[in-house]
Amino acid sequence: MNPEDFMQEALKEAEKALSIGEVPVGAVIEKDGVIIGRGHNMTETSKDPTSHAEVIAIREAAQKLGGWRLLGCRMYVTTEPCSMCAGAMVLARIQKVYIGTRDPKTGACGSLMNILQDERLNHYIEIDTGIMQQQCEKIMKSFFQKLRKKKSEENTI
């Protein structure tokens, strides 16, 4: 499998989030060509601010591997991780992250800051961006357009 195949799996996770009214972010973690962790945003559903796609995928991968160090693992995520998720990725020792689209408002992998490659930290994560960018952007833009329209309609009632 190539990066696009794994990003397609992350997009399937984003679709799951979308189907339950969550911000459509999806993530998968792969080691040696096998997906060992999956996640999609669940913050509203679980009422838990840490239930981001990346954190859920990290938890599942750690459980499957039987340890918290995810050495040799790669994450594929549809939208640039926030500071919490980037920090979790560093702590988990993810080797590389493939990012579909940047997040200029909260992205912590190069947009606002770059936690993954901060020399002051004890782990460095390779970053590859723009994998299936158009598809990843489309699902996010569509979600927020519908959300703004819904809020606008609620305000006129």
Side-chain angles (χ1 to χ4, degrees), residues 74-86:
R74 288 157 292 282
M75 179 181 286
Y76 301 78
V77 61
T78 56
T79 302
E80 182 179 359
C82 69
S83 57
M84 174 185 70
C85 294

Side-chain angles (χ1 to χ4, degrees), residues 98-136:
Y98 294 86
I99 299 168
T101 187
R102 291 283 188 185
D103 182 349
K105 292 185 179 183
T106 64
C109 304
S111 290
L112 288 180
M113 62 192 85
N114 190 348
I115 291 172
L116 302 185
Q117 298 177 336
D118 189 316
E119 294 174 354
R120 297 168 293 179
L121 299 177
N122 64 338
H123 184 69
Y124 177 95
I125 298 175
E126 294 177 60
I127 301 170
D128 192 347
T129 60
I131 307 298
M132 298 183 70
Q133 183 174 346
Q134 289 179 330
Q135 296 92 322
C136 294

